[in-house]
Amino acid sequence: MVVSRWWGLGALAVLALGGCGPEQTRDAVTLLNVSYDPTREFYRDLNAAFERNWLESQGQRVRVLMSHGGSGKQARAVIDGLPADVVTLALAADVDSIANRSGLVIADWRARLPHAAVPFYSSIVFLVRSGNPRRVRDWADLLQPGLQVVMPHPQTSGGARWNYLAAWGAARLDAAGSDVAARVYVQRLLRQVPLFDPSARAATTTFVQRGLGDVLLTWESEAWMAVAAFPEQGLEVVRPGCSIRAEPVVAVVDRLVDHRGSRALAEAYLRFHYSPTGQRLAVRHYFRLFDERAVAAADRDRPGALRTFGLAQQFGSWAQANTTHFAPGGTFDQLTRPASGATW
């Protein structure tokens, strides 16, 4: 697979959209997908495949526009008026936020697509430098004196929330369900983070291109993309003993597509994620599938098995996790008070 080395952080400029039907360019209708940061390469390929498929099956040219950024920031942008036809975000909670705060998405959006609108999943792993000089093998190794961990900020990045919950859940399992032990571990881990980046891709840029830090805590898919994009660096992916199953979600932005008359196109685009072509592209971009039989054996050049736990298993629900850990004054705020030495 050819991997682009373009790791820019800015979102693509978005055309002003309006009127009663999908926006018409010279020869194509447009669809805007507002997505989280580390999906740039995947959607470059999936969009091209969908555009070809739609032209062949419907006789209509379509151009899929993209906006990328931290998942939480992207959700707020949609609430504030970014005219998305669909959102493809890192957290179900971010789509719930759009639904609850703006009414742009219907409340039961999860019921529309298989696996609660999760077309594929990932996990949280460690990306280390060539030869793994700090000998990082599992979560406890991240607490080595002087070791610097690179990760984004949970207030702007969905990937950062997955990072935090992966660490908490792994520590809790290791301590036979003790939240006290998990709190102690995560507080120490956060003290290893000298600076919180705004998004998962920004954190990758900090680690890979700026050469800062000893370990990048990130999506498994993002880690393998970095390895493929920068082979000369000899980066290595380390899978911890256990981690969280990180589940990005997809949803139609109902009020906008009904206003624009683009619902059929938007729904077909999301269903395309579940098609054999969409699933094959997800695997090629280092995501994991619920049903590996959906792709041929030749397309399953995936990293080995990873022991994972689900969000519900350790935290109940996103609403509970957000209230406990990420709301103002929650556990994350408590653990990153100035004494921790972390800044952002």
Side-chain angles (χ1 to χ4, degrees):
M1 179 180 62
V2 177
V3 180
S4 169
R5 292 176 63 108
W6 172 246
W7 295 80
L9 302 177
L12 179 71
V14 175
L15 298 177
L17 302 175
C20 297
E23 182 74 8
Q24 194 81 32
T25 65
R26 284 186 178 181
D27 60 352
V29 296
T30 61
L31 185 79
L32 176 59
N33 177 2
V34 173
S35 193
Y36 66 107
D37 224 14
T39 59
R40 298 164 188 265
E41 293 77 16
F42 169 69
Y43 278 116
R44 176 198 62 207
D45 292 348
L46 182 116
N47 292 347
F50 175 75
E51 290 167 1
R52 289 192 299 269
N53 177 270
W54 191 256
L55 179 61
E56 292 168 2
S57 63
Q58 304 297 320
Q60 182 184 44
R61 295 186 182 276
V62 61
R63 186 158 63 100
V64 182
L65 306 177
M66 296 299 305
S67 171
H68 291 281
S71 186
K73 186 176 180 181
Q74 292 291 80
R76 287 190 290 274
V78 173
I79 292 168
D80 291 341
L82 183 61
D85 294 277
V86 300
V87 290
T88 56
L89 297 177
L91 312 178
D94 287 333
V95 181
D96 285 336
S97 179
I98 297 171
N100 295 336
R101 294 176 57 189
S102 69
L104 291 169
V105 177
I106 64 169
D108 67 344
W109 59 272
R110 289 175 181 81
R112 293 170 164 172
L113 290 166
H115 310 300
V118 179
F120 40 74
Y121 65 95
S122 187
S123 190
I124 300 301
V125 300
F126 313 146
L127 186 66
V128 301
R129 303 202 182 277
S130 180
N132 193 3
R134 299 302 295 261
R135 299 296 183 263
V136 173
R137 301 299 179 196
D138 213 338
W139 292 98
D141 298 324
L142 301 183
L143 303 185
Q144 297 177 47
L147 182 144
Q148 291 190 338
V149 176
V150 177
M151 65 173 279
H153 197 291
Q155 297 303 333
T156 54
S157 167
R161 296 195 181 197
W162 285 119
N163 289 347
Y164 174 103
L165 295 177
W168 189 286
R172 188 171 184 269
L173 286 170
D174 191 54
S178 170
D179 280 313
V180 173
R183 181 186 179 99
V184 170
Y185 173 80
V186 172
Q187 183 173 42
R188 292 181 64 191
L189 174 63
L190 294 173
R191 289 175 178 172
Q192 307 287 101
V193 182
L195 176 72
F196 290 100
D197 283 296
S199 70
R201 180 53 58 86
T204 303
T205 299
T206 292
F207 184 78
V208 176
Q209 293 188 280
R210 296 175 63 195
L212 302 179
D214 301 294
V215 180
L216 174 66
L217 195 57
T218 191
W219 298 85
E220 182 184 41
S221 54
E222 179 77 348
W224 284 108
M225 285 292 291
V227 169
F230 296 89
E232 73 281 1
Q233 292 199 25
L235 300 168
E236 300 177 22
V237 177
V238 175
R239 297 188 299 274
C242 72
S243 191
I244 200 165
R245 188 161 79 177
E247 299 183 335
V249 293
V250 300
V252 169
V253 182
D254 295 279
R255 277 174 49 186
L256 183 69
V257 297
D258 287 341
H259 174 70
R260 296 185 62 220
S262 59
R263 177 175 288 279
L265 177 62
E267 290 180 345
Y269 175 69
L270 294 190
R271 288 194 301 272
F272 192 73
H273 288 64
Y274 294 85
S275 70
T277 298
Q279 295 283 280
R280 183 168 59 251
L281 289 172
V283 167
R284 290 180 179 177
H285 286 268
Y286 308 99
F287 290 101
R288 294 178 181 256
L289 303 184
F290 290 94
D291 183 3
E292 289 290 345
R293 295 172 299 177
V295 297
D299 292 317
R300 296 183 208 151
D301 183 21
R302 297 279 55 77
L306 177 63
R307 178 183 166 218
T308 61
F309 56 87
L311 177 83
Q313 178 185 348
Q314 294 292 323
F315 304 100
S317 68
W318 268 115
Q320 292 171 287
N322 282 335
T323 298
T324 300
H325 294 281
F326 306 118
T331 307
F332 177 81
D333 282 353
Q334 297 167 25
L335 299 183
T336 53
R337 285 171 181 159
S340 71
T343 59
W344 52 88

